[in-house]
Amino acid sequence: MTKRVVLAYSGGLDTSVAVRWMREEWDVEVVACAVDVGQLVPGEEDAIRERAVAAGAVEVEVIDAREEYARDFLMPALAANALYEGRYPLVSALSRPVIVEHLVASARRHGATAVGHGCTGKGNDQVRFEVSSRILAPDLEVMAPTRVWGLTRADCIDLAARWDIPISASKEKVYSIDENMWGRAIECGVLENPWSAPPAEPFTLTRDPADAPSESRSIVIGFEAGVPVSLDGEALGLVELIGRVGELVGSYGWGRIDMVENRRVGIKSREVYECPASLALILAHRDLEGITLERDLAREKQRVEIRVAELIYDGLWHSPLMGALGAFVRETQTHVTGEVRLGLAPGRCEATGRRAPRSLYDHDLATYEAEDSFRHADSEGFVRLWGLSAETWSRRQGPGRS
Amino acid sequence: MTKRVVLAYSGGLDTSVAVRWMREEWDVEVVACAVDVGQLVPGEEDAIRERAVAAGAVEVEVIDAREEYARDFLMPALAANALYEGRYPLVSALSRPVIVEHLVASARRHGATAVGHGCTGKGNDQVRFEVSSRILAPDLEVMAPTRVWGLTRADCIDLAARWDIPISASKEKVYSIDENMWGRAIECGVLENPWSAPPAEPFTLTRDPADAPSESRSIVIGFEAGVPVSLDGEALGLVELIGRVGELVGSYGWGRIDMVENRRVGIKSREVYECPASLALILAHRDLEGITLERDLAREKQRVEIRVAELIYDGLWHSPLMGALGAFVRETQTHVTGEVRLGLAPGRCEATGRRAPRSLYDHDLATYEAEDSFRHADSEGFVRLWGLSAETWSRRQGPGRS
Amino acid sequence: MTKRVVLAYSGGLDTSVAVRWMREEWDVEVVACAVDVGQLVPGEEDAIRERAVAAGAVEVEVIDAREEYARDFLMPALAANALYEGRYPLVSALSRPVIVEHLVASARRHGATAVGHGCTGKGNDQVRFEVSSRILAPDLEVMAPTRVWGLTRADCIDLAARWDIPISASKEKVYSIDENMWGRAIECGVLENPWSAPPAEPFTLTRDPADAPSESRSIVIGFEAGVPVSLDGEALGLVELIGRVGELVGSYGWGRIDMVENRRVGIKSREVYECPASLALILAHRDLEGITLERDLAREKQRVEIRVAELIYDGLWHSPLMGALGAFVRETQTHVTGEVRLGLAPGRCEATGRRAPRSLYDHDLATYEAEDSFRHADSEGFVRLWGLSAETWSRRQGPGRS
Amino acid sequence: MTKRVVLAYSGGLDTSVAVRWMREEWDVEVVACAVDVGQLVPGEEDAIRERAVAAGAVEVEVIDAREEYARDFLMPALAANALYEGRYPLVSALSRPVIVEHLVASARRHGATAVGHGCTGKGNDQVRFEVSSRILAPDLEVMAPTRVWGLTRADCIDLAARWDIPISASKEKVYSIDENMWGRAIECGVLENPWSAPPAEPFTLTRDPADAPSESRSIVIGFEAGVPVSLDGEALGLVELIGRVGELVGSYGWGRIDMVENRRVGIKSREVYECPASLALILAHRDLEGITLERDLAREKQRVEIRVAELIYDGLWHSPLMGALGAFVRETQTHVTGEVRLGLAPGRCEATGRRAPRSLYDHDLATYEAEDSFRHADSEGFVRLWGLSAETWSRRQGPGRS
């Protein structure tokens, strides 16, 4: 029986050519599996199906994974305020594990013994695909045709033409783009020079601030146990809420990132992102935590957040360490319930107010007004013992030694 | 002989009254010591001297500590990208240790056996003052008149009048403000309600973005070993450079912070800051590190940065732990030399380019173009072993177990 | 109505005198509450009751909290291999929170508005008592008579005699001792000189190794999900198991600790402990984790363990951070099921074998024999990319730069 | 010109065969380079030279690197109390970087373009060799004949015989052993079953405790700035001191480790070590730090120690992160000067006393005797503010909420 592989199918040039190439070169049956994590536009599904069939797929699946992606992947990341290197909300990194979950399920449905992907050999996504696959289904082989085929973009276009795969692609591809509900990643072209400022053209989710509404406005995001549940008082499902926040914030031209980041494989790459929804939600979530997390918990959580972001970036979403860190993070979210007001203006998005039914901000303790409930006399003893260890050090080893 | 105390003197109502109050109540001679860390405006020095004398100070000192503050305090903090809770550049927290150094030196000069401060019992600054003092001079007593005197603002104004201390102060003080070269902290009044958006009035370093120049512009900051040394190619001393960056960035209305933070004494307080210079320099410095720090070093440094910020906030600048963390941070800065371009527009300040003579960004490794030098074949083995530990876990304990 | 306080009652001199002293000096009714966490010997309960009554307690409670202590306090600590400063199994630190839980419950039963303890002002236990009490019952006052009464030991003995409190105590108390199921802490006397070797006399749980059985032997401890459940194949309840392990290991003279530790209040103190049961169980548990925890999880858990031990030591058992770290730790224990063999010999206790039904040790991967399943070819690529980031650093900034 | 490679030469079967094999199969000239890090016995040098020549080496070098190894590698590790997974003193891991330094220097001397090693594809040592080599000399190729040749032990013995390489090796090699001044690592054979207790036979550095001197004794180790400098008052060079401590401690049968550890390549392996010198020195050093390191510094250092051990284990000794962590650690050692007494008895080695000229242990603060200098009244305020954050949490979100 011919071996069967489920390929993560984007509908683009590379994976379309890969469908046929794998059949030709490796004599395998290819199931094309497109997982929608928010990147598909309405109507795109049919075109994808047709193209996969034309490329020779024995089966095509288009799976709407948006709700699941938002609930089971984006929300844990939001709870951890996950930003790789303090900046990148892990747009691509978060989508790979959910895609692999569907590839594996599809492989089981179709009796496949392998899964495949179109990642190159120097990026992070191969790591995420393969590690997730080996964890979820150690028995499945992982095939990576594009990593070994040695084809240039021009070669691919020629093959597509020869094989009658209906796809329009220019030989000069300017940018490499990956997109989903959490944002959009832009690489290559002029961006490969980290001194060059990013041009205006590749951005689609964020308007140029110069074209933003001149009127500033506020929005209020409501959270329950760390999860955003409402916008300006209107209860919304996650997919809808993320979408609307992204549109609003993006319309004010906020949410772009320009950075050089460290890939897992050991190289630095210049990346440009636009992530209005994810950055705004993390900003609001973190701000709400400011009044709902106890100090020591908040301090330790900062360290955990860094580790969570590294793990997601490094392809270890499905690892047991992620499970344990997730347990920590979940435990912190119980009372992250309340509202945050975001002020929007051209090129800006800022938290301007926050409130919570179980806020730990205590006006009577904090106020400098006369009627405060803080026992000032406690401070003297506190400060002396807080510094006693360092004071003793000073007397024996430091500046105060005799 | 009458006991002598060196009081940290701001020239404001509280410390002016404290000079006389301490003489009256505690029978001590007060040396008023004003340390300029950038908060004084030209000409203010004379007014300060006169006021202190009028209040009964036996000696008055006004010390220009700006260069020293920038070099020995702000630069180590910048090297650590020190932001408390990820946001606050430690404006007040950084100034206290340098002030205490001068108080102690002054105490030695004037034969004083105590230092004094005007901090309240619920803030962080008392911790910073007293811990630094106990470390630098464990033999000196620390006096905190305002923590125990039980006077309201109105009482202080009455006393100032009775004692002929020339000071204009309204009984309704709206905000409590602390300022120096690194930024400006604003507390109290309407801000004590964390749901209220900050009003426009208290900001002086940052223009309302609506009033910013409509023309956007770029500035280029040059660094040597982590220290900013030039602006748009012009070599500048630190005080000058920080001042100019602050003016430029502030003129575009960028650099405000609105947060609820965790004080060391255990309470949350709502704080508003405007820090155009420090935030812009940290942004640029961190961006330059993106191309000059090796990955594992950069990852660990993130954790160290958090700890450094906590220590500074908690009053432990002069502690031995700070010394050891400082050694780590210094070691990382050797090659943080290069330039960062910041794009300024109304309400915005963003890094749009970075370059370094010893950049670790390697175009030939990173490029997706055909001629790259990355050995793609290495990836297969790498990814397999990178995930092997988690794969084994899966087979025995996880989703892949049999 | 007279105010009522529930005092943590040990039956010793200090708390016995405190019962009467508080009545005399503070005019309060004292409920004496003795919580057995393994320190009581059979029959001691009656003597405790009589003494408390003689001292004037309005109520006496002796509560057997051993099962609860073992299950809800010692087991989470064991799961975290909690050793303060890498050595001390937190004997006293773990018992305070459970004692406070009972004090608070007792206060509710008896309509008390305060709880009390007999800790001094420079130790850790006051921190643990008071912080736990303020967390569990912020409305209850905390009274600490011994911290303020200014009585010497001789004074206490005189008062006990005058008040007819039946207690035998010598004016020369050599050591201060605290004991429970998890071990025994010994302070004071000759031990206050950290250069003096601990004398033989104060040890009761651990025999002098010279007097240990000359025959060495092995014991096997079985764990389920991180909890010890059997000894040499015999299923045992926790109290019984901890007791038996302690006797066996202690009979071989193993389990003593001699250290100078850092107290929370900022001073260093020399402490001697004997903890045969807890140290042996932690040793076995950690060893079992060696074959049942995945690598990255194990590495991160080391850091969490340090933080957990600090929190327990610092009196923060009931804090929200402890809750979140506990969630992390619990998540790691699911498969810590198996057996560890401990070899016992005079002065020694060592793990000599470990096995687990879901062990991650994979002989076929690990063996150096010919038939291994490891793909050696993967290593070349792995090693190259593992070192690529540092290699690039070397070429640009390090020893290999040109 | 024929390509030249410098091979790390142990004098054992594998590397001896490799010398000739590389010449035959790869047509390279092999320089055999044996680096003595304490594994050579007097007189062994000549045998090594002869064997290498017989195997066909074009040059043989035997380099005494013991002083350098002790000073530049072992001492930084000791300063960091480096124990991988809390137990293993990194015996092999520490030696590889110094060996590579000499291989590279030799390659420069002999005009070689490659270095070589005899490590297998599943161990850690290949990682250490290759990563160090790529960092120190990115231009040199790394050759790993044993990873690819596919020869069994029997094959090697046959080849050695055919090629007249004078070496006595039994076809049944029971254990794989690596040894240097810091200890001895034992793998394979019966040890591959982690449930089997280690047999007595492979140990050479540690006596069976049953055969230890019955008389117990003490030794005193003196340190200066973290470095051991004397034994029982006698100043000794490092190599001598480490050797003598190892003999003394080993003669009492202490210093064995039996563990399952996590290799970098993702597999767990059962390892048995005997490390009397390193473990005793780390024990003494850590104990001295107990009285010479300030509390917060000591707490943070624990975390740094874990990271240092991981880096060394993972082959990253020469990485920039190691440099920065080393700067932290060095900074901590300034006052780690003093003496530690170790009590030796059969199977035991324990710190029983410690003293330091700049000890931070302050008897007057610590004592429970009447004349102490601690201000007990400070405690009340300290404890209240120490717990205030958690108390506020309790009132709003925790057990005390209303």
Side-chain angles (χ1 to χ4, degrees), chain C residues 35-114:
Chain C
V35 181
D36 184 12
V37 284
Q39 82 278 23
L40 297 188
V41 296
E44 197 177 354
E45 188 181 323
D46 289 343
I48 282 182
R49 288 185 184 278
E50 284 163 29
R51 200 173 301 137
V53 168
V58 295
E59 299 268 1
V60 191
E61 291 192 309
V62 182
I63 295 165
D64 181 354
R66 292 176 301 159
E67 284 291 348
E68 177 188 352
Y69 179 48
R71 185 186 63 232
D72 299 338
F73 294 78
L74 302 183
M75 288 309 100
L78 178 60
N81 300 314
L83 292 172
Y84 181 60
E85 298 185 351
R87 302 176 68 182
Y88 164 49
L90 297 158
V91 173
S92 302
L94 282 161
S95 72
R96 269 45 181 178
V98 68
I99 291 171
V100 174
E101 289 191 1
H102 283 287
L103 293 185
V104 167
S106 175
R108 300 311 185 198
R109 276 196 299 275
H110 295 99
T113 58

Side-chain angles (χ1 to χ4, degrees), chain A residues 121-122 135 341 365 367 379 394, chain B residues 121-122 135 195 365 367 379 394:
Chain A
K122 65 199 303 183
I135 292 176
R341 190 195 313 109
L365 279 175
T367 184
S379 294
S394 172
Chain B
K122 64 200 304 183
I135 293 176
W195 180 248
L365 278 175
T367 184
S379 295
S394 172

Side-chain angles (χ1 to χ4, degrees), chain C residues 121-122 135 341 361 365 379 394, chain D residues 121-122 135 195 365 379 394:
Chain C
K122 65 201 303 184
I135 293 176
R341 190 196 310 110
Y361 176 83
L365 278 175
S379 295
S394 172
Chain D
K122 63 198 306 182
I135 293 177
W195 180 247
L365 278 176
S379 295
S394 172

Side-chain angles (χ1 to χ4, degrees), chain C residues 219-365:
Chain C
I219 60 175
V220 173
I221 300 177
F223 289 84
E224 274 180 22
V227 175
V229 294
S230 68
L231 181 62
D232 289 334
E234 181 187 359
L236 290 176
L238 274 177
V239 174
E240 177 80 7
L241 186 146
I242 294 168
R244 283 220 227 156
V245 168
E247 274 166 40
L248 279 162
V249 172
S251 76
Y252 278 91
W254 188 86
R256 296 181 183 176
I257 303 163
D258 171 1
M259 70 189 288
V260 174
E261 79 189 26
N262 291 290
R263 289 200 197 139
R264 180 66 262 171
V265 291
I267 62 186
K268 287 184 183 286
S269 67
R270 205 277 185 89
E271 307 281 337
V272 169
Y273 302 102
E274 48 179 350
C275 310
S278 51
L279 290 178
L281 288 170
I282 290 171
L283 186 158
H285 177 264
R286 187 176 264 172
D287 195 83
L288 183 58
E289 288 189 332
I291 56 168
T292 52
L293 294 192
E294 187 272 341
R295 179 196 56 205
D296 293 341
L297 183 61
R299 286 188 170 191
E300 194 71 27
K301 184 167 183 278
Q302 278 196 284
R303 290 154 170 86
V304 168
E305 290 174 357
I306 290 176
R307 193 75 185 97
V308 166
E310 289 173 353
L311 282 181
I312 297 174
Y313 190 83
D314 287 347
L316 293 164
W317 176 273
H318 287 106
S319 69
L321 174 52
M322 192 68 183
L325 293 172
F328 177 99
V329 172
R330 275 194 303 282
E331 188 78 16
T332 63
Q333 299 297 297
T334 315
H335 297 290
V336 183
T337 295
E339 290 183 319
V340 176
R341 190 196 310 110
L342 297 180
L344 303 180
R348 291 193 294 146
C349 171
E350 299 163 345
T352 63
R354 69 290 299 164
R355 63 185 173 190
R358 297 214 167 272
S359 170
L360 301 179
Y361 176 83
D362 181 333
H363 178 270
D364 292 347
L365 278 175

Side-chain angles (χ1 to χ4, degrees), chain A residues 84-87 120-123 126-127 130-131 134-136 138-139 147 187-188 191-198 208-209 220 253 258-260 262-270 287 289-296 298-299 302-303 306-307 310 313-314 316 318-320 339-341 346-348 351-355 360-369 372 374 376 379-380 382-384 386-387 390-391 393-395 399-400, chain B residues 84-87 120-123 126-127 130-131 134-136 138-139 147 187-188 191-198 208-209 220 253 258-260 262-270 287 289-296 298-299 302-303 306-307 310 313-314 316 318-320 339-341 346-348 351-355 360-369 372 374 376 379-380 382-384 386-387 390-391 393-395 399-400:
Chain A
Y84 181 60
E85 299 186 350
R87 302 175 69 181
T120 70
K122 65 199 303 183
Q126 61 175 342
V127 183
E130 298 190 21
V131 172
R134 293 236 168 71
I135 292 176
L136 293 176
D139 59 305
R147 204 161 61 192
E187 289 177 326
C188 301
L191 301 177
E192 289 191 349
N193 177 353
W195 180 247
S196 301
D208 185 321
V220 173
D258 170 2
M259 69 190 287
V260 174
N262 291 289
R263 290 202 196 137
R264 180 67 261 171
V265 291
I267 61 186
K268 288 184 184 286
S269 67
R270 204 274 188 91
D287 194 83
E289 289 189 332
I291 56 169
T292 52
L293 294 192
E294 188 273 338
R295 178 195 58 206
D296 294 341
R299 287 189 170 191
Q302 278 195 286
R303 292 156 169 84
I306 290 175
R307 193 76 187 97
E310 289 173 354
Y313 191 84
D314 287 347
L316 293 163
H318 287 107
S319 70
E339 289 182 319
V340 176
R341 190 195 313 109
R348 291 194 293 146
T352 63
R354 66 292 296 165
R355 62 184 174 191
L360 301 179
Y361 176 83
D362 181 333
H363 178 269
D364 293 346
L365 279 175
T367 184
Y368 279 109
E369 289 167 30
D372 72 301
F374 188 88
H376 289 245
S379 294
E380 189 185 344
F382 175 77
V383 175
R384 187 171 286 109
W386 178 249
E391 178 186 338
W393 164 79
S394 172
R395 289 181 189 275
Chain B
Y84 181 60
E85 299 187 350
R87 303 175 69 184
T120 69
K122 64 200 304 183
Q126 60 175 342
V127 184
E130 299 191 20
V131 171
R134 294 237 168 69
I135 293 176
L136 293 176
D139 59 306
R147 204 161 60 192
E187 289 178 326
C188 301
L191 300 177
E192 288 191 350
N193 177 353
W195 180 248
S196 302
D208 185 320
V220 173
D258 170 1
M259 69 189 288
V260 174
N262 291 289
R263 290 202 196 137
R264 180 65 262 171
V265 291
I267 62 185
K268 288 184 184 284
S269 67
R270 204 272 188 92
D287 194 83
E289 289 190 331
I291 57 169
T292 53
L293 293 192
E294 187 271 341
R295 179 195 56 206
D296 294 342
R299 287 189 169 190
Q302 279 195 285
R303 291 155 171 84
I306 290 176
R307 193 76 186 98
E310 289 173 354
Y313 190 84
D314 287 348
L316 293 163
H318 287 107
S319 69
E339 289 182 320
V340 175
R341 190 197 310 110
R348 292 193 292 146
T352 62
R354 67 291 297 166
R355 62 184 174 191
L360 301 179
Y361 176 83
D362 180 333
H363 178 269
D364 292 347
L365 278 175
T367 184
Y368 280 110
E369 290 167 32
D372 72 303
F374 188 88
H376 290 245
S379 295
E380 189 184 344
F382 175 76
V383 176
R384 186 171 287 109
W386 177 249
E391 178 185 339
W393 164 79
S394 172
R395 290 181 189 275

Side-chain angles (χ1 to χ4, degrees), chain A residues 20-305:
Chain A
R20 178 73 176 266
W21 188 89
M22 290 170 83
R23 203 184 71 184
E24 302 283 333
E25 299 289 324
W26 291 344
D27 191 25
V28 293
E29 290 179 359
V30 178
V31 177
C33 182
V35 181
D36 183 12
V37 283
Q39 81 280 22
L40 296 188
V41 296
E44 196 177 355
E45 190 181 324
D46 288 345
I48 283 182
R49 287 184 185 279
E50 283 163 32
R51 199 175 300 137
V53 168
V58 295
E59 300 267 1
V60 191
E61 291 192 310
V62 181
I63 295 165
D64 181 354
R66 292 176 300 159
E67 283 291 349
E68 177 187 352
Y69 179 47
R71 187 186 61 233
D72 299 338
F73 294 78
L74 302 184
M75 288 309 102
L78 177 61
N81 299 315
L83 292 171
Y84 181 60
E85 299 186 350
R87 302 175 69 181
Y88 164 49
L90 297 157
V91 173
S92 303
L94 281 162
S95 71
R96 270 45 183 177
V98 68
I99 292 172
V100 174
E101 289 191 2
H102 284 286
L103 294 185
V104 167
S106 174
R108 301 313 184 198
R109 276 195 298 275
H110 295 99
T113 58
V115 292
H117 64 76
C119 311
T120 70
K122 65 199 303 183
N124 294 301
D125 286 330
Q126 61 175 342
V127 183
R128 298 160 187 159
F129 258 113
E130 298 190 21
V131 172
S132 267
S133 176
R134 293 236 168 71
I135 292 176
L136 293 176
D139 59 305
L140 294 182
E141 190 185 344
V142 180
M143 305 184 111
T146 58
R147 204 161 61 192
V148 296
W149 68 14
L151 303 177
T152 64
R153 182 167 176 82
D155 295 337
C156 286
I157 290 172
D158 291 344
L159 282 175
R162 188 192 322 158
W163 288 335
D164 286 326
I165 305 174
I167 190 161
S168 62
S170 68
K171 298 220 174 182
E172 274 306 300
K173 186 194 185 187
V174 184
Y175 302 106
S176 167
I177 286 174
D178 186 51
E179 180 172 358
N180 64 62
M181 296 169 59
W182 212 230
R184 200 156 162 275
I186 309 160
E187 289 177 326
C188 301
V190 64
L191 301 177
E192 289 191 349
N193 177 353
W195 180 247
S196 301
E201 53 173 11
F203 297 101
T204 63
L205 303 182
T206 50
R207 215 177 280 178
D208 185 321
D211 304 331
S214 55
E215 202 74 350
S216 60
R217 63 169 289 183
S218 288
I219 59 175
V220 173
I221 300 177
F223 288 86
E224 274 180 21
V227 175
V229 294
S230 68
L231 181 62
D232 288 333
E234 182 187 358
L236 291 176
L238 274 175
V239 173
E240 176 80 6
L241 186 147
I242 294 168
R244 282 221 226 155
V245 168
E247 274 166 39
L248 278 163
V249 172
S251 75
Y252 278 90
W254 188 85
R256 295 183 183 175
I257 303 163
D258 170 2
M259 69 190 287
V260 174
E261 78 189 27
N262 291 289
R263 290 202 196 137
R264 180 67 261 171
V265 291
I267 61 186
K268 288 184 184 286
S269 67
R270 204 274 188 91
E271 305 281 337
V272 169
Y273 302 103
E274 46 179 351
C275 310
S278 50
L279 290 179
L281 288 170
I282 290 171
L283 186 159
H285 177 264
R286 188 176 262 172
D287 194 83
L288 183 59
E289 289 189 332
I291 56 169
T292 52
L293 294 192
E294 188 273 338
R295 178 195 58 206
D296 294 341
L297 182 61
R299 287 189 170 191
E300 195 71 27
K301 184 167 183 279
Q302 278 195 286
R303 292 156 169 84
V304 168
E305 290 174 358

